């Protein structure tokens, strides 16, 4: 303590200011500054916020889900189908032949009126054959006041055929047991159709039974107005 008092007296003599009191366990003085330092262990402010506790551990993101697809099941289904088909074909071969996938149909028409298709050279004797429908008109051209002869074959048997010139009723004819008919009739509405020389109009047919039941539309033929 004597050495410290001597140093303070020397400092006071040089600077003309009294030095700090000798250190007695309080704040430590720094020579030449006049400032006192903070005691060790007291660098934290009283009443300050306490340090935050450590947060929860980071959870890794979930692994991406793999989309399920039906590709595997589709492939397995295809393999199963091929295996089953192989067994079926093998059974056909071992049985001596393949099954019949179709049935033969006669080349002629079996309806009351003939349709399109091939016809045999000789008609069968079971009355299932009808000749192709055909319509003819004579003459094929003339004035609007012309009287024409209309001939049909292969139509409904013992029925009725109505004829139409363009959009105007022309007349009707009865067919025989073979579906044939011949009728003479004048062109309808000559004053109207006579205004359109050079035009060709269709003579069309519709088939009915004798009691008037509709059966279908038949063929047509053209007539030219001079």
């Amino acid at each position: 303590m004597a050495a410290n008092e001597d140093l303070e007296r020397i400092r006071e003599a040089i600077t003309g200011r009294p030095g700090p009191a000798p250190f007695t366990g309080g704040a430590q003085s720094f020579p030449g500054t006049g400032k006192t330092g903070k005691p060790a262990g007291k660098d934290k402010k009283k009443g300050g916020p306490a340090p935050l506790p450590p947060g929860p551990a980071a959870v890794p993101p979930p692994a991406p889900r793999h989309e399920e697809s039906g590709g595997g099941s589709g492939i397995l289904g295809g393999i199963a189908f091929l295996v089953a088909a192989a067994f079926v074909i093998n059974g056909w071969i071992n049985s001596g032949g393949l099954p019949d996938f179709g049935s033969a149909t006669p080349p002629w028409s079996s309806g009351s009126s003939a349709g399109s298709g091939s016809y045999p050279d000789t008609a069968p004797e079971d009355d299932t054959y009808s000749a192709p429908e055909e319509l003819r008109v004579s003459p094929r051209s003339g004035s609007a006041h012309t009287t024409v002869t209309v001939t049909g074959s292969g139509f409904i048997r013992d029925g009725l055929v109505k004829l139409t010139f363009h959009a105007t009723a022309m007349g009707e004819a009865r067919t025989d047991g073979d579906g044939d008919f011949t009728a003479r009739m004048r062109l309808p509405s000559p004053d109207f159709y006579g205004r359109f020389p050079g035009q060709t109009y269709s003579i069309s047919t519709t088939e009915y039974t004798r009691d008037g039941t509709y059966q279908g539309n038949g063929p047509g033929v053209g007539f030219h107005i001079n």
Side-chain angles (χ1 to χ4, degrees):
M1 297 296 294
N4 289 336
E5 292 177 354
D6 292 339
L7 288 175
E8 294 299 326
R9 293 191 187 97
I10 294 172
R11 182 180 297 112
E12 182 179 358
I14 294 173
T15 62
R17 295 178 300 176
F23 178 74
T24 58
Q28 184 178 0
S29 62
F30 293 92
T33 62
K35 297 181 180 181
T36 59
K38 296 180 180 179
K42 295 185 179 180
D43 55 336
K44 294 183 181 180
K45 296 181 179 180
K46 294 182 179 181
L52 296 176
V59 179
R65 297 178 60 185
H66 296 284
E67 296 292 336
E68 297 183 358
S69 62
S73 60
I75 295 175
L76 294 177
I79 295 175
F81 174 78
L82 293 176
V83 172
F87 277 106
V88 173
I89 294 174
N90 184 57
W92 288 342
I93 295 174
N94 293 334
S95 64
L98 296 175
D100 183 13
F101 290 102
S103 59
T105 56
W108 56 84
S109 171
S110 60
S112 60
S113 298
S116 61
S118 302
Y119 293 88
D121 296 333
T122 303
E125 298 179 356
D126 57 0
D127 199 30
T128 60
Y129 166 76
S130 296
E133 289 180 332
E134 184 179 3
L135 184 69
R136 298 175 297 277
V137 62
S138 180
R140 294 290 304 271
S141 63
S143 70
H145 295 273
T146 302
T147 298
V148 296
T149 300
V150 183
T151 304
S153 60
F155 285 77
I156 182 173
R157 298 167 180 170
D158 296 317
L160 186 67
V161 176
K162 293 185 178 182
L163 296 100
T164 303
F165 184 81
H166 185 53
T168 307
M170 185 175 179
E172 58 185 37
R174 293 181 178 272
T175 61
D176 58 19
D178 295 327
D180 301 338
F181 71 90
T182 300
R184 283 180 57 83
M185 53 189 68
R186 297 186 63 176
L187 300 180
S189 305
D191 294 336
F192 174 78
Y193 290 105
R195 300 175 186 176
F196 308 98
Q199 298 293 322
T200 299
Y201 296 96
S202 174
I203 299 175
S204 57
T205 57
T206 309
E207 299 175 79
Y208 298 84
T209 61
R210 288 292 178 93
D211 60 4
T213 303
Y214 171 78
Q215 297 296 298
N217 296 331
V221 65
F223 183 88
H224 184 79
I225 301 291
N226 293 335

